[in-house]
């Protein structure tokens, strides 16, 4: 009956939606319009996620949000199929605003009319129409209209007239008032700041210390006027190499003169006003070569002025005489490009990092790749009213400049070229299955789009200089790849193979003719692999494996003294004093490292159950002899152990496991753990991990009195990630039981320190707490009920279509020691946590906090720590994520009648470690450890921080190896007005409460736990284990399938069933939700992820 009722409701909703879509708008005095256009200025619709909007012509769904706004744009009826408009010349400022917030969407998919931007995706299985309403320069609304159909281009007089009108629109009068607000269907308006918090003061606790920072002050910068130009080379879709060649041509340089700065794409800068220029560059003529018949090498160049940049705007902003506006940003952007020109000509350039090809510091990592050290530089505005240049050592992975056949054997892991050739052939899995590409051949795909040259005896100078790009590898080898060879003397064509061609023409007997043929981007041009040589300086775009990662870490880790020497070597490479472009524009940079007055915060004491430890400035304390602050909540009775052995690895028998478990239990009791069942059932599981979990679950139920398992322990033969993820998926999602995995190698050794380290996690999963900061009142640092939430979004490796994972943690005690966590897929590479995910994950966590910690009441203070967002996304965090969190609290307030949610004071902080700032303390300074790394507690608030906003760098950990990297904290919002002493010391001291460590950590624990949970969420992905790990080239495969589908649609054909199923799988993977955890025993409220 319930199912039938749901179906009736769904049909009724569908009928209502169709009725609303097909009928005209209600009269202006109807209740619906009154609600949409009331005094609060709320938007249309009655669905919390904006699924319904009354957008028919004549409706007022686009009515103004802000009082006094005049614009009343009329939105199209969603029942009509809007056109896909291409090649429209939109106002530049509208395009810039759109691309700033939606960089992945191309301008050909939207158009602008009467204050409204309409966006229509080219390929969308759901056909989601996004409507952006602009009012007086402000993006006031964003609405989604979902139709169950594909979009088709429709031309009619009405839409063509709108397109023409859009072309003639004047520029927006005040683009800098732009801010982003999602459509809000309720009547409440939130008072959210549009700017970050200004610095309230400086920390006065601890002691003052002097610290060097790897930044250099700009001694002098010009106040010139620089002209910015829009440069269109060809049609605008030419590849970077061709654009660079045309830019460096004699014809172009003769037209524009010297001293230009070019970004390599569309923007150029000069001190001269040259107006509009249009001319043609003939590269054949430049190079002195004959043009090919029927092919032109002539390219049109258009140069148009776009704006004038007054470099004096930077000084005016630093002096407080003007606000941060577009002129300041443009001036900084110009300096950033100016400093890259000369290094880019001499070295391999990767954004702001440069790698000298003559650099001897490189390390071969295996698999055809090598690590190389370079220099990083970035200019920025800083505290003290000046510009500074941050210089650091940069590490990157490149393809090795090997012969292609050597590269192929290393990438595929083959023993030699002959075996690589044999293993690249198609395989037939079974008698009934068709042939398919082998795993070795799939690994070769990593070399697609790699650049190479050819070298062989008899090759002309032109052939040797030409650079090719790999389009693909052919299953055909040199014996059976045939082409038509034309005799230039007789004009006779004959069919010949690549092997015979090299033998007959160059007398070259190919050594490895059975290897795959290399196809190039030029149609019909292919080479045998052994004559191809990889071009140096090509970044490796894929994720490196575990062995390569270990080698990379060993190569990249350097002590402070060595790192400082590397920075000084980088300065010599950059050589600012002799840089002709920097000198030409009058920029002078000091080569003396900045010295700042930092603070060394006092270290806290660490409180255990019966004793305290004082780590001092060492940042380390011991666990032996200590009892956990809080042991497991319930006596450990229902638990068991499963051994999963593997052939050829560390084999563990039941006797060895029993010995280890006895030691493990005794050690846990010594740390205060409560264990009633010291002899849990131990079994050796089958090869199938999922069956192991089921068997162990049943074994525990049968042999421990019938209760549901409290803990399941697995002893594994190795570090197989697929095995680990299958165990976690079954335990978390099928049975809702926490689990602990250990490796047989460690179990056999049975070292006490290892056991204690595992027990910190073990105890936390069972509801215990390792330790806390001592010397505080029962509520810890907080004088009023306080909740802490941490958020992180992790993304898959490049090329993979694995969805991004959003993780949120929520403190579950008064002291901020224990955190619950929730995870969900967040789309493909979407950084902002979606509204649905925030509501779905935080609502149950908030309810649980109010029940267990708040004693039925809401918190008075709310901390939101966000990881992984760039400076350009700070306002997104406030206007989207914080806004949705406030809505959740309001919903809980209305439904449960708790304390007024408006009394909750929000403090929003972004924590980031993706920066290049490093501290170098003075010798014999109290801020330096024995390796000259900064001690825990070094705080920097001046000289390299923002001139006005509230940010700081805090080194809260003791570096085990290499040079310590501090965490950058930026306070975006602070309704509680917390003094710097309290806020910064709270952040620092909480780093001592990390549950599974006997050292303070480098990142605030709420964020650290969110990072752990987002990585663990991979095991909850709703896909069969038999499908294996995500492939490195999934994104590439998806794009190829989309291209095939577009071609099939143009020809009126259908995509093949196999390709159609693949495309559907890839599309579903981007939005498929994770499996839900079974929460009948409250696993979600514990630290299951740690």
């Amino acid at each position: 009956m319930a199912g039938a009722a749901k179906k009736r409701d769904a049909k009724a909703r569908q009928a209502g939606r169709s009725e609303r879509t097909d009928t005209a708008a209600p009269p202006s005095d109807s209740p619906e319009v009154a609600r949409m256009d009331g005094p609060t200025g709320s938007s249309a619709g009655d669905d919390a996620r904006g699924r319904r909007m009354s957008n028919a012509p004549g409706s007022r769904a686009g009515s103004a949000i802000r009082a006094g706004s005049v614009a009343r744009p009329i939105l199209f009826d969603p029942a009509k199929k809007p056109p896909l408009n291409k090649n429209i010349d939109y106002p530049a400022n509208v395009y810039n605003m759109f691309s700033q917030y939606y960089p992945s969407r191309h301008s050909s998919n939207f158009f602008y009319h009467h204050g409204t931007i309409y966006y229509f995706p080219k390929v969308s299985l759901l056909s989601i129409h996004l409507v952006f309403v602009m009012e007086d320069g402000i993006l006031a609304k964003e609405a989604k209209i979902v139709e169950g159909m594909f979009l088709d281009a429709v031309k009619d007089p009405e839409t063509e007239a709108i397109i023409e009108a859009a072309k003639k629109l004047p520029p927006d009068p005040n683009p800098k008032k732009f801010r982003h607000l999602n459509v809000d269907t309720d009547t409440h308006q939130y008072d959210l700041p549009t700017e970050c918090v200004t610095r309230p003061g400086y920390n006065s606790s601890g002691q003052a210390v002097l610290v060097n920072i790897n930044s250099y002050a700009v001694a002098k910068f010009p106040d010139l006027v620089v002209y910015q130009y829009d440069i269109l080379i060809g049609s605008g879709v030419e590849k970077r190499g061709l654009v660079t060649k045309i830019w460096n041509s004699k014809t172009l340089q003769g037209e524009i003169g010297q001293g230009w700065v070019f970004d390599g794409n569309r923007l150029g800068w000069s001190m001269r006003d040259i107006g509009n220029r249009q001319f043609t560059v003939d590269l054949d003529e430049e190079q002195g070569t004959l043009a090919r018949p029927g092919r032109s090498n002539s390219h049109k160049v258009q140069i148009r002025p776009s704006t004038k940049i007054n470099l004096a705007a930077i000084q005016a902003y630093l002096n407080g005489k003007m606000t941060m506006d577009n002129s300041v940003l443009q001036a900084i952007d110009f300096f950033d490009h100016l400093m890259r020109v000369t290094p880019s000509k001499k070295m391999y350039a990767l954004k702001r990092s440069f790698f000298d090809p003559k650099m001897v510091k490189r390390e071969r990592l295996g698999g055809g790749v090598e690590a190389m050290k370079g220099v990083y530089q970035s200019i920025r505005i800083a505290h003290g009213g000046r510009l500074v240049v941050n210089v650091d050592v940069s590490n990157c992975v490149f393809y090795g400049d090997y012969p292609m056949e050597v590269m192929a054997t290393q990438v595929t892991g083959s023993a030699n070229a002959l075996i690589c050739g044999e293993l690249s052939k198609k395989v037939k899995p079974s008698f009934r299955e068709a042939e398919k590409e082998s795993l070795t051949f799939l690994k070769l795909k990593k070399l697609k789009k790699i650049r190479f040259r050819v070298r062989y005896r008899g090759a002309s100078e032109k052939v040797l200089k030409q650079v090719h790009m790999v389009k693909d590898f052919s299953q055909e080898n040199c014996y059976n790849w045939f082409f038509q060879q034309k005799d230039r003397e007789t004009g006779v064509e004959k069919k010949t193979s690549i092997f015979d061609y090299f033998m007959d023409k160059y007398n070259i007997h190919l050594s490895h003719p059975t290897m795959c043929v290399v196809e190039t981007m030029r149609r019909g041009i292919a080479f045998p692999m052994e004559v191809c040589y990889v071009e140096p300086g090509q970044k490796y775009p894929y994720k490196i494996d575990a062995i390569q990662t270990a080698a990379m870490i060993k190569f990249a880790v350097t002590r402070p003294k060595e790192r400082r020497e590397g920075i000084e070597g980088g300065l010599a490479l950059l050589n600012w004093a002799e840089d002709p472009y920097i000198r030409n524009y009058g920029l002078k940079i000091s080569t003396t490292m900045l010295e700042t007055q930092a603070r060394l915060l006092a270290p806290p004491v660490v409180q255990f159950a019966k004793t305290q430890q004082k780590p001092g400035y060492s940042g380390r304390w011991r666990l032996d002899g200590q009892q956990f602050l809080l042991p497991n909540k319930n006596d450990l009775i229902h638990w068991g152990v499963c051994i999963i052995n593997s052939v050829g690895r560390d084999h563990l028998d039941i006797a060895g496991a029993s010995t280890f478990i006895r030691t493990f239990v005794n050690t846990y009791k010594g740390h205060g753990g409560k264990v009633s069942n010291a002899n849990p059932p131990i079994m050796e599981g089958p090869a199938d991990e999922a069956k192991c979990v089921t068997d162990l679950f049943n074994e525990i139920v049968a042999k421990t009195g019938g209760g549901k398992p409290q803990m399941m322990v697995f002893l594994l033969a190795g570090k197989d990630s697929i095995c680990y993820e299958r165990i976690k998926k079954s335990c978390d999602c099928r049975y809702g039981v926490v689990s602990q995995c250990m490796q047989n190698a460690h179990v056999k050794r049975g070292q006490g320190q290892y056991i204690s380290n595992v027990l910190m996690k073990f105890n936390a999963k069972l509801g215990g707490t390792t330790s806390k900061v001592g010397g505080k009142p029962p509520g810890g640092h907080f004088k009023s009920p306080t909740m802490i939430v941490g958020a992180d979004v992790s993304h898959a490796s490049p090329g993979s279509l694995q969805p991004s994972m959003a993780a949120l943690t929520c403190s579950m005690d008064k002291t901020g020691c224990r955190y619950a966590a929730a995870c969900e897929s967040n789309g493909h590479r979407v950084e902002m946590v979606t509204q649905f995910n925030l509501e779905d994950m935080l609502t149950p966590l908030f309810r649980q906090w109010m029940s267990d910690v708040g004693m039925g009441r809401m918190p008075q203070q709310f901390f939101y720590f966000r990881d992984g967002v760039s400076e350009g996304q700070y306002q997104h965090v406030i206007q989207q994520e914080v806004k949705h969190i406030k809505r959740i609290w309001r919903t809980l307030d209305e439904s449960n009648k708790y304390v007024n949610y408006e009394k909750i004071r929000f403090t929003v902080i972004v924590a980031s470690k993706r920066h290049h700032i490093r501290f170098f303390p003075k010798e014999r300074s109290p801020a330096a450890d024995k390796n000259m790394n900064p001690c825990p507690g070094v705080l920097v608030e001046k000289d390299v921080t923002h001139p006005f906003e509230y940010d700081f760098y805090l080194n809260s950990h003791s570096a085990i190896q290499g040079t310590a990297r501090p965490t950058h904290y930026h306070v975006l919002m602070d309704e509680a007005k917390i003094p710097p002493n309290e806020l910064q010391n709270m952040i620092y001291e909480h780093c001592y409460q990390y549950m599974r460590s006997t050292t303070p950590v480098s990142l605030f624990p709420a964020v650290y736990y969110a990072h752990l949970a987002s990585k663990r969420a991979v095991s909850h992905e709703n896909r069969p284990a038999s499908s294996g790990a995500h492939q490195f080239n999934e994104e590439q495969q998806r794009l190829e399938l989309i291209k095939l589908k577009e071609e099939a649609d143009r020809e009126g054909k259908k995509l093949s069933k196999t390709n159609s199923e693949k495309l559907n799988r890839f599309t579903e993977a981007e939005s498929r939700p994770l499996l839900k955890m079974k929460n009948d025993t409250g696993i979600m409220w514990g630290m299951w992820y740690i």
Side-chain angles (χ1 to χ4, degrees):
M1 294 297 290
K6 287 183 179 178
K7 289 181 179 179
R8 286 197 302 270
D9 292 342
K11 288 182 178 179
R13 285 194 298 270
Q14 182 63 38
R17 182 158 54 245
S18 302
E19 183 180 350
R20 285 191 297 268
T21 301
D22 296 335
T23 57
S28 60
D29 58 350
S30 71
E32 184 171 358
V33 172
R35 183 174 67 252
M36 290 188 294
D37 198 27
T40 56
S42 63
S43 60
D46 57 2
D47 186 285
R49 294 176 195 163
R51 291 177 179 170
R52 184 177 71 82
M53 291 187 68
S54 180
N55 288 336
S59 74
R60 305 179 71 180
S63 51
I65 281 184
R66 296 177 299 108
S69 180
V70 181
R72 299 277 184 178
I74 298 175
L75 306 188
F76 285 122
D77 186 340
K80 293 184 178 181
K81 294 180 180 180
L84 293 176
N85 303 302
K86 300 180 180 180
N87 303 321
I88 298 176
D89 187 15
Y90 307 104
N93 65 311
V94 176
Y95 174 78
N96 290 337
M97 286 188 290
F98 188 88
S99 59
Q100 178 184 358
Y101 287 88
Y102 302 91
S104 64
R105 297 169 181 165
H106 195 269
S107 61
S108 66
N109 297 97
F110 71 94
F111 68 91
Y112 177 90
H113 174 61
H114 287 185
T116 303
I117 297 176
Y118 298 85
Y119 167 74
F120 308 110
K122 283 182 179 177
V123 178
S124 173
L125 296 179
L126 295 177
S127 291
I128 300 177
H129 306 182
L130 300 179
V131 181
F132 304 89
V133 183
M134 303 288 300
E135 295 174 2
D136 298 344
I138 299 177
L139 181 55
K141 296 180 183 176
E142 171 183 327
K144 294 184 178 180
I145 307 169
V146 181
E147 295 177 30
M149 62 185 77
F150 284 94
L151 294 175
D152 297 315
V154 176
K155 288 189 177 180
D156 57 75
E158 179 187 358
T159 55
E160 289 187 349
I162 290 173
I163 295 170
E164 291 302 316
K167 294 180 181 180
K168 300 175 183 177
L169 282 172
D172 188 65
N174 196 0
K176 287 318 293 176
K177 286 185 179 179
F178 179 85
R179 58 192 175 93
H180 181 276
L181 293 174
N182 283 341
V183 63
D184 188 6
T185 58
D186 54 45
T187 59
H188 189 84
Q189 298 298 309
Y190 301 102
D191 185 18
L192 297 173
T194 57
E195 294 181 354
C196 295
V197 179
T198 56
R199 191 181 303 279
Y202 299 95
N203 197 309
S204 58
S205 62
Q207 58 179 309
V209 290
L210 290 177
V211 173
N212 286 119
I213 301 179
N214 58 332
S215 295
Y216 301 82
V218 174
K220 178 184 177 183
F221 57 90
D223 55 2
L224 306 170
V225 173
V226 175
Y227 298 89
Q228 181 175 300
Y229 295 87
D230 181 62
I231 301 170
L232 179 62
I233 295 178
S235 61
V237 297
E238 280 70 15
K239 294 183 178 178
R240 182 64 65 93
L242 179 59
V243 169
T244 303
K245 190 180 292 186
I246 295 170
W247 175 259
N248 293 328
S249 66
K250 295 178 182 178
T251 304
L252 190 146
Q253 293 298 320
E255 282 280 347
I256 64 175
Q258 300 298 315
W260 277 66
V261 176
F262 181 51
D263 74 343
N265 188 21
R266 289 290 296 268
L267 292 180
W269 297 267
S270 173
M271 288 188 288
R272 296 190 303 117
D273 182 4
I274 66 169
N276 286 289
R277 295 287 179 94
Q278 187 169 318
F279 50 90
T280 301
V281 176
D282 191 329
L283 290 179
D284 287 332
E285 184 179 328
E286 288 262 345
Q287 298 165 2
T289 57
L290 296 175
R292 294 183 187 178
R295 292 190 63 182
S296 173
N297 204 5
S298 182
H299 305 273
K300 184 179 178 181
V301 179
Q302 299 177 62
I303 300 177
R304 296 181 296 182
S306 60
T307 188
K308 287 196 296 185
I309 302 174
N310 190 343
L311 301 182
I314 296 178
Q315 191 62 61
Y317 170 73
L318 293 173
N319 293 339
K321 296 180 180 179
M322 65 181 295
T323 59
M324 172 64 75
D325 63 7
N326 207 37
S327 61
V328 180
L329 295 173
Q330 288 175 338
I332 296 171
D333 188 47
F334 164 72
F335 281 130
D336 185 48
H337 282 91
L338 173 67
M339 298 187 66
R340 296 192 221 175
V341 178
T342 300
S344 297
K345 293 181 177 180
K346 300 187 299 182
M347 296 180 272
Y348 307 140
L350 295 175
K351 295 182 179 178
R352 296 183 178 91
S353 295
F354 306 94
F355 299 86
D356 188 356
K358 301 175 184 176
M359 182 76 70
V360 294
K361 289 186 177 180
R362 56 179 72 191
E363 180 78 15
R364 294 188 176 182
L365 306 180
V369 299
E370 62 183 19
M372 188 183 297
K373 287 189 182 293
V375 58
Y376 166 91
Q377 67 169 1
S378 174
I379 190 168
R380 63 187 67 189
I381 54 173
H383 175 272
R386 58 185 171 186
L387 290 173
V388 298
V389 181
N390 177 211
V391 180
D392 192 23
V393 174
S394 184
N395 299 283
C396 190
V397 179
F398 292 86
Y399 284 106
D401 50 347
Y402 307 125
M404 187 71 79
E405 59 180 347
V406 175
M407 177 70 77
T409 57
Q410 293 200 22
V411 166
T412 60
S414 304
N416 54 52
L418 180 62
I419 294 176
C420 180
E422 288 299 317
L423 294 178
S424 298
K425 295 178 180 178
K426 286 188 176 182
V427 294
K428 192 174 178 65
S430 67
F431 176 75
R432 294 185 178 182
E433 292 182 298
E435 286 187 332
K436 66 177 185 179
E437 294 174 342
S438 66
L439 180 60
T440 300
F441 187 77
L442 288 174
K443 289 180 179 179
L444 274 180
K445 300 284 187 180
K446 286 187 176 182
L447 299 180
K448 288 179 70 171
K449 294 192 176 180
I450 197 172
R451 300 188 304 276
F452 68 94
R453 296 176 191 258
V454 295
R455 294 203 296 264
Y456 52 86
R457 185 175 64 249
S460 65
E461 191 70 21
K462 179 182 176 182
V463 170
L464 293 174
K465 286 183 177 180
Q466 190 168 7
V467 178
H468 305 272
M469 182 178 285
V470 176
K471 179 182 180 182
D472 207 345
F473 294 91
S474 173
Q475 293 279 1
E476 310 293 338
N477 57 39
C478 296
Y479 287 126
N480 46 32
W481 176 285
F482 291 93
F483 66 98
Q484 293 294 330
Q485 181 185 4
K486 185 176 182 180
D487 191 320
R488 292 187 177 181
E489 296 181 358
T490 63
V492 177
E493 290 188 354
K494 69 172 183 176
K495 188 177 181 180
T496 185
S497 67
I498 289 180
F499 180 84
D500 293 336
Y501 173 79
F502 275 88
M503 190 69 192
D504 296 342
K505 186 166 184 177
Y506 300 106
N507 195 26
I508 296 176
H509 187 281
L510 296 177
S511 303
H512 305 293
T514 59
M515 294 194 76
C516 298
V517 171
V518 182
E519 298 181 50
T520 70
M521 291 295 183
R522 295 176 62 189
R523 181 174 295 180
I525 304 298
F527 294 98
M529 200 175 283
E530 63 188 80
V531 303
C532 305
Y533 293 81
V534 177
E535 277 283 276
Q538 299 182 72
K539 183 183 177 182
Y540 184 70
Y542 304 109
K543 183 180 179 180
I544 55 179
D545 61 30
I547 297 174
Q548 292 169 331
T549 300
M552 179 68 182
I553 292 173
K554 188 176 180 180
F555 170 75
V557 166
T558 54
R559 292 291 189 191
K561 181 180 178 181
E562 186 180 346
R563 193 177 193 96
R564 189 162 184 171
E565 290 172 353
I567 292 171
E568 291 169 354
L571 285 178
L573 284 175
L574 295 171
N575 196 9
W576 295 320
E578 301 300 323
D579 189 316
Y581 286 88
I582 290 179
R583 286 195 302 175
N584 184 39
Y585 282 89
L587 191 66
K588 293 185 179 179
I589 308 169
S590 170
T591 54
T592 302
M593 193 175 282
L594 275 178
E595 182 180 272
T596 186
Q597 188 176 67
R599 306 296 302 183
L600 179 59
L601 305 181
V605 297
V606 179
Q607 178 71 53
F608 287 92
K610 297 180 179 180
T611 59
Q612 289 185 343
Q613 287 214 18
K614 297 180 179 180
Y617 292 111
S618 69
R620 289 179 175 83
W621 59 93
R622 297 184 64 84
L623 191 60
D624 49 322
Q626 302 294 332
Q627 289 191 3
F628 294 138
L629 179 70
L630 295 174
N632 47 320
K633 287 184 177 180
N634 303 312
D635 281 11
L636 186 57
I637 302 172
H638 310 289
W639 68 301
V641 182
C642 179
I643 308 167
I644 303 179
N645 286 313
S646 179
V647 179
R649 296 189 180 181
D650 290 296
H651 189 275
L652 183 68
D653 56 20
I654 292 180
S658 300
T659 303
F660 172 79
I661 291 299
R662 283 196 296 271
T663 307
F664 188 84
V665 169
N666 291 333
T667 307
Y668 189 30
K669 288 180 177 179
H671 288 308
K674 297 181 291 184
V675 183
S676 296
N677 179 9
N679 297 298
I682 301 175
M683 57 173 284
E684 188 166 352
D688 185 346
E689 295 86 2
K691 194 172 187 308
C692 285
V693 177
T694 301
D695 291 350
L696 181 59
F697 185 93
N698 295 332
E699 185 81 359
I700 295 171
V701 172
K703 294 187 176 180
T704 61
K708 183 169 181 177
Q710 298 167 277
M711 170 69 75
M712 300 168 75
V713 178
F714 297 90
L715 308 180
L716 310 178
K719 296 181 178 181
D720 189 339
S721 61
I722 296 178
C723 171
Y724 176 83
E725 288 173 8
R726 291 196 71 189
I727 291 171
K728 293 299 182 182
K729 176 185 282 188
S730 290
C731 290
D732 298 342
C733 304
R734 180 177 295 175
Y735 297 108
V737 179
V738 290
S739 56
Q740 180 64 55
C741 296
M742 291 178 273
Q743 293 179 40
N744 290 348
H746 294 300
V747 169
K748 287 180 177 181
R749 287 194 289 268
Q751 294 179 349
Q753 185 176 352
Y754 170 77
I755 293 174
S756 291
N757 289 341
V758 172
L759 282 170
M760 286 190 284
K761 299 167 61 177
F762 192 85
N763 185 60
K765 291 174 183 178
L766 291 173
T769 301
T770 305
S771 60
K772 70 173 184 178
V773 170
K776 303 291 179 184
H781 293 82
F782 312 117
K783 300 174 183 176
S784 58
T786 301
M787 176 189 286
I788 304 173
V789 169
D792 182 39
V793 178
S794 62
H795 304 291
S797 57
S800 171
L801 281 181
Q802 180 182 344
S804 299
M805 299 295 176
L808 295 166
T809 58
C810 178
S811 59
M812 283 295 165
D813 57 13
K814 293 181 179 180
T815 57
C817 291
R818 293 187 55 79
Y819 286 82
C823 303
E824 188 52 271
S825 58
N826 202 56
H828 184 57
R829 298 202 168 275
V830 177
E831 181 56 52
M832 293 295 110
V833 185
T834 65
Q835 177 182 350
F836 177 80
N837 280 345
L838 285 168
E839 292 174 352
D840 187 54
M841 292 190 283
L842 287 182
T843 301
L845 291 176
F846 287 176
R847 291 185 187 278
Q848 192 67 26
W849 186 94
M850 288 190 291
S851 173
D852 293 352
V853 184
M855 307 302 292
R857 295 184 176 273
M858 291 184 173
Q860 295 179 24
Q861 192 162 315
F862 183 90
F863 285 94
Y864 184 55
F865 282 87
R866 184 63 161 88
D867 183 29
V869 295
S870 61
E871 292 181 12
Q873 297 171 316
Y874 286 173
Q875 279 303 308
H876 288 215
V877 173
I878 296 294
Q879 303 294 349
Q880 295 180 39
E881 295 182 355
V882 174
K883 175 184 176 181
H884 298 324
I885 294 172
K886 281 180 173 280
R887 178 188 285 116
I888 296 169
W889 280 121
R890 182 169 60 84
T891 303
L892 292 173
D893 188 14
E894 290 176 349
S895 61
N896 295 288
K897 306 301 180 186
Y898 288 111
V899 176
N900 192 335
Y901 77 98
E902 292 182 348
K903 293 183 179 180
I904 302 175
R905 297 166 298 173
F906 274 67
T907 300
V908 181
I909 302 173
V910 170
S912 175
K913 296 195 72 176
R914 297 177 184 175
H915 60 79
H916 284 267
I917 294 294
R918 299 292 185 274
F919 300 163
F920 296 94
K922 300 282 187 180
E923 289 189 27
R924 292 184 292 276
S925 166
D929 66 8
K930 62 181 181 180
N931 297 315
M932 292 306 295
N933 261 313
C935 290
V938 175
L939 171 72
V940 170
E941 302 174 272
K942 303 176 182 178
D943 295 316
V944 291
T945 53
H946 195 278
F948 308 112
E949 294 176 358
Y950 188 8
D951 69 324
F952 53 91
Y953 292 89
L954 174 63
N955 184 80
S956 57
H957 68 297
S958 177
I960 298 174
Q961 57 182 353
T963 304
R965 175 166 52 183
T967 299
H968 181 224
Y969 294 95
H970 201 125
V971 183
L972 307 187
M973 183 176 171
D974 185 20
E975 296 175 341
K977 307 293 183 186
I978 307 172
N981 280 24
E982 291 184 21
L983 179 65
Q984 292 164 352
N985 280 279
M986 183 275 291
I987 292 174
Y988 172 50
E989 292 180 2
H990 270 240
C991 293
Y992 282 74
Q993 295 186 161
Y994 185 64
M995 196 68 73
R996 63 179 200 179
S997 174
T998 55
T999 62
V1001 289
S1002 61
L1003 190 62
F1004 190 76
V1007 180
Y1008 209 133
Y1009 292 140
H1011 181 70
L1012 292 179
S1014 67
K1015 294 298 183 185
R1016 266 292 309 278
V1018 174
S1019 63
H1020 297 175
E1021 198 174 352
N1022 190 5
R1023 59 197 300 265
S1026 57
S1027 60
H1030 284 272
Q1031 298 177 19
F1032 66 90
N1033 61 343
E1034 286 176 333
E1035 174 68 11
Q1036 183 178 316
Q1037 291 180 49
R1038 186 180 73 94
L1039 294 175
E1040 290 174 354
L1041 289 170
I1042 289 175
K1043 188 175 180 181
L1044 287 174
K1045 187 182 185 308
E1046 290 175 346
E1047 292 175 356
D1049 290 343
R1050 282 196 298 268
E1051 297 173 3
K1053 300 178 181 178
K1054 288 186 177 181
L1055 200 63
S1056 69
K1057 183 178 179 180
T1058 303
N1059 287 337
S1060 181
E1061 289 174 352
K1062 283 184 180 179
L1063 182 58
N1064 288 336
R1065 281 201 305 271
F1066 287 146
T1067 305
E1068 290 171 5
E1070 295 183 16
S1071 57
R1072 187 187 298 126
L1074 299 180
L1075 292 171
K1076 295 296 182 183
M1077 296 175 66
K1078 189 174 183 180
N1079 198 38
D1080 57 341
T1081 58
I1083 185 175
M1084 282 184 60
W1085 321 134
M1087 303 188 73
W1088 54 270
Y1089 54 86
I1090 195 168

